[in-house]
Amino acid sequence: HLFEACGIPTPDYAVVRHFADAVLAAEEFDFPLVLKPAGQGSSVGMTKVFDHDDLAEAVELALSYGDVALAERCIVGHEFTVGVLQGEALPSIRIETPRVFYDYRAKYESDRTEYHCPGTSDDNTETLFAELALAAFRELGCSGWGRVDFMTGEDGQPQVLEVNTIPGMTSHSLVPMAARQAGIDFAELCWRILETSVSEDQESKPVEVAVNGP
């Protein structure tokens, strides 16, 4: 709702609380359709649905993680992600997987997933992704650091899928990968993320010490 209100491009979607909601979404968006929980990460509970016969199972899976799920029009194209650190966008990453989509196995188990950083071929496109990532991040009231995920369709225009407020932070995760491209090693990245947890107000407050006795 917030992305639509401020003009940030995002896939058409419908809120799903019951199977009937998903049926209506399928009628509106057609197949393939993406079903996913509203509050999970790492593609847990997400299904790319290709026909009506698989819809009920996908809805049951998505709603097993909470009371609300999302049905989205499936954008067939390239997947990108942009890390945000201390108010600036990190270099984009384009993700390629031979699987149906960039699911849990593609993220954590497959050795065939490919990452290209930077993910764009020219400065103007890189700037476009950066500006959209920062706009989405700020619109949701996020601060400090995070990651914004995109899909591009046949027209090549990026659409924001979501903002991740707790992205992966192993040495092989996406934000460290983008930071490394920007010249920030893993130790420095960890320190800079730690810095974002201390606000300017907290830094300026005097430390008060309570002492018992005379």
Side-chain angles (χ1 to χ4, degrees), residues 69-90:
L70 290 176
E72 291 182 342
R73 186 188 301 276
C74 183
I75 307 299
V76 179
H78 295 294
E79 182 157 1
F80 291 80
T81 190
V82 175
V84 175
L85 177 64
Q86 295 175 314
E88 297 183 358
L90 296 173

Side-chain angles (χ1 to χ4, degrees), residues 34-133:
V34 174
L35 256 295
K36 61 185 182 183
Q40 288 292 316
S42 298
S43 301
V44 172
M46 178 176 165
T47 307
K48 188 173 181 179
V49 186
F50 290 92
D51 56 54
H52 192 279
D53 292 341
D54 297 326
L55 193 58
E57 183 177 354
V59 172
E60 182 179 1
L61 175 62
L63 291 178
S64 70
Y65 292 94
D67 297 332
V68 180
L70 290 176
E72 291 182 342
R73 186 188 301 276
C74 183
I75 307 299
V76 179
H78 295 294
E79 182 157 1
F80 291 80
T81 190
V82 175
V84 175
L85 177 64
Q86 295 175 314
E88 297 183 358
L90 296 173
S92 69
I93 298 174
R94 187 176 79 257
I95 302 162
E96 295 182 1
T97 174
R99 296 184 59 78
V100 175
F101 64 95
Y102 188 47
D103 59 5
Y104 187 92
R105 289 187 61 185
K107 288 177 168 72
Y108 302 109
E109 300 173 4
S110 176
D111 58 2
R112 298 176 63 193
T113 303
E114 297 181 4
Y115 302 95
H116 306 272
C117 184
T120 63
S121 58
D122 61 84
D123 291 342
N124 289 338
T125 307
E126 189 71 11
T127 298
L128 174 61
F129 273 97
E131 290 176 346
L132 282 174

